[in-house]
Amino acid sequence: MEAMGVSSGQVGSALMAETADVVVIGAGVAGLACARELSAGGFDVVVLEARSAIGGRVRTLRMGAAGPVELGAQVVHPVGCDAFDDLLREARIGTAPMGTGAEFVVVSGGAHYDAAALAARIRPLPWVAEDGLYAAPPRSGTVDRALSGLAPPARALARCWMEQVVGEDPGLLDLTETAMTYHGGGRGGERVVVDGFDRVVHALAGGLEIRTDSPVERLRWGGDGVEAATASGTVRARAAVLTPPPPVVAGGGLGLDPPLPPSKVAAAAALASCDAVAVVLVTARPTARSEWLLLADPPGGLWTGRAGSRVVTGHVKGPSASLVRRRGWESDLLRSLGPRLGDLDDVLVLDWGRDRWFRGAYSVPVAGVGAASAEWAARLGGTVFFAGEASAEAGLRGLVQGALASGERAAAEVTLSLSGGPHDQRSGRDA
């Protein structure tokens, strides 16, 4: 099994004391998009990445005949983002509708129901209940409150569905904020990247100077520039762009000196990423048919298996993610999936919630997230800038498109701030 590597760009781990125009912290989609724009504009950019691989919360495994397996970003959501669409087109990255040919199954109370069997027992179906949330004009309150009028069995299943689709307890999800991103186009609107989401990462990384295994231990900043110190050296620059998730930055992950102002710390709390665990099961025999399963029974989550493949993937989000950390969760899973699964040859787990560099999968639409996002995106003086999906505008927050758009937005802010800087090689104008 091979994890995502780097096929392009200058990547290494040695870092000597040096200077640059801009230091970008984090080599996820936001950081790479920002560095790509700045580099194309003629700036000298160094990207510092804490991990040994780039991509951030894009994590693609290559498993031979099973093809690419996504443990992080899985789908391209049906939202408008011209920059992302342009990248796909320029890099010739193909996409396809998600879930084509797969039967949808709900596992509840130990029984397995296809859509028809479930409809005979519960109305509305959970995804129909979700669409109903977005059909009416935006209302105040939580998603859970909006579902309160359903009969208990339908409400319980709709809550389970929303927790796994959006990634948080419906009692915490703000209805209006949720509708801005998940506006009813999701069922049948999402697409997958055919050759793996890491193709997007490689397309952004080409030609950039990226230093892996280089976590920033301290970032000093002020009116005269920044200094990013790692275990192996220091980069002094005119500006820095911070792209790690807000809880990582605000929680001391970068050692900012001076520290973040209270308004930024408060914004980071509202932008906490959802808990999530990704699981890869390697079965002893190929799966008989293609299925997409919602487990209402422990350990929960959305699971996919493809006919003829020995790989089954699961993504367990929100409060249910804690169930995958319990002793004996594999037994719960075997009971839920029953004979469909068979014996297992291997189990791989990626715990996003407990990863020190991420502390969760992505920001979720809780109350107040819009104002918090705007606060997080605001620069500090003229030297420290912020990017990442949590800082994206409404409708893109929490998505890969939002990460890319935020990186390009931060690049434009840096370019404006460092006015009188380098020549714009693309347009032939001074930056």
Side-chain angles (χ1 to χ4, degrees):
M1 182 178 302
E2 180 184 354
M4 185 192 76
V6 179
S7 59
S8 59
Q10 181 181 347
V11 179
S13 57
L15 179 61
M16 305 299 291
E18 62 182 288
T19 60
D21 288 322
V22 185
V23 58
V24 175
I25 300 175
V29 169
L32 295 175
C34 181
R36 182 176 187 246
E37 287 292 302
L38 290 170
S39 181
F43 289 95
D44 180 18
V45 183
V46 173
V47 182
L48 300 179
E49 168 56 47
R51 297 169 51 249
S52 58
I54 67 174
R57 287 177 283 190
V58 172
R59 195 73 61 87
T60 304
L61 295 183
R62 303 288 172 178
M63 303 184 66
V69 177
E70 307 291 4
L71 299 184
Q74 304 169 62
V75 298
V76 179
H77 287 267
V79 296
C81 182
D82 292 342
F84 190 81
D85 295 338
D86 290 344
L87 177 67
L88 295 181
R89 183 169 51 255
E90 291 167 8
R92 298 182 179 180
I93 298 174
T95 64
M98 184 183 74
T100 301
E103 180 183 11
F104 189 80
V105 176
V106 172
V107 182
S108 178
H112 292 234
Y113 303 96
D114 61 20
L118 189 67
R121 299 173 58 89
I122 292 177
R123 295 292 183 102
L125 294 171
W127 45 93
V128 175
E130 180 192 5
D131 287 344
L133 296 176
Y134 313 139
R139 295 167 288 176
S140 60
T142 66
V143 166
D144 192 40
R145 180 181 177 185
L147 296 173
S148 62
L150 300 180
R155 182 185 183 190
L157 203 55
R159 293 187 81 261
C160 177
W161 170 261
M162 292 300 295
E163 177 187 332
Q164 297 309 313
V165 169
V166 183
E168 186 53 276
D169 180 345
L172 300 176
L173 293 174
D174 182 82
L175 178 59
T176 301
E177 293 283 354
T178 301
M180 288 181 182
T181 302
Y182 301 87
H183 46 70
R187 307 291 74 74
E190 295 106 333
R191 303 180 70 81
V192 297
V193 181
V194 176
D195 295 327
F197 234 117
D198 58 349
R199 288 282 310 280
V200 173
V201 173
H202 296 330
L204 291 170
L208 297 178
E209 185 174 356
I210 306 168
R211 309 295 174 83
T212 56
D213 295 309
S214 298
V216 174
E217 298 175 346
R218 180 173 297 172
L219 180 70
R220 293 189 176 93
W221 61 278
D224 57 348
V226 301
E227 183 179 279
T230 73
S232 53
T234 300
V235 178
R236 297 181 180 89
R238 300 166 65 192
V241 181
L242 310 187
T243 71
V248 175
V249 178
L254 300 182
L256 267 71
D257 181 17
L260 290 174
S263 59
K264 287 277 189 186
V265 176
L271 294 168
S273 299
C274 68
D275 198 2
V277 178
V279 181
V280 177
L281 308 174
V282 182
T283 61
R285 62 178 186 272
T287 301
R289 54 187 174 181
S290 296
E291 289 185 323
W292 186 32
L293 301 99
L294 170 68
L295 299 193
D297 296 343
L302 285 166
W303 299 76
T304 57
R306 198 166 54 197
S309 173
R310 294 175 54 224
V311 176
V312 175
T313 58
H315 295 264
V316 188
K317 304 176 186 176
S320 294
S322 62
L323 300 179
V324 188
R325 302 186 184 108
R326 290 191 318 190
R327 184 186 300 273
W329 72 269
E330 297 95 334
S331 298
D332 289 339
L333 182 63
L334 290 171
R335 280 193 296 271
S336 292
L337 295 183
R340 281 174 161 78
L341 196 59
D343 296 330
L344 299 179
D345 282 349
D346 202 0
V347 178
L348 304 173
V349 177
L350 177 56
D351 193 332
W352 291 105
R354 291 190 173 176
D355 189 301
R356 62 179 295 200
W357 302 118
F358 301 109
R359 301 189 186 182
Y362 51 84
S363 60
V364 287
V366 297
V369 71
S373 182
E375 173 62 35
W376 188 255
R379 70 186 190 182
L380 293 177
T383 56
V384 180
F385 301 80
F386 296 82
E389 52 80 13
S391 70
E393 63 184 33
L396 295 178
R397 198 175 303 118
L399 308 181
V400 174
Q401 294 103 313
L404 185 140
S406 76
E408 294 195 349
R409 182 260 306 153
E413 292 173 351
V414 171
T415 300
L416 184 62
S417 179
L418 303 184
S419 58
H423 187 69
D424 188 327
Q425 296 173 347
R426 293 170 300 172
S427 66
R429 299 190 301 270
D430 288 338

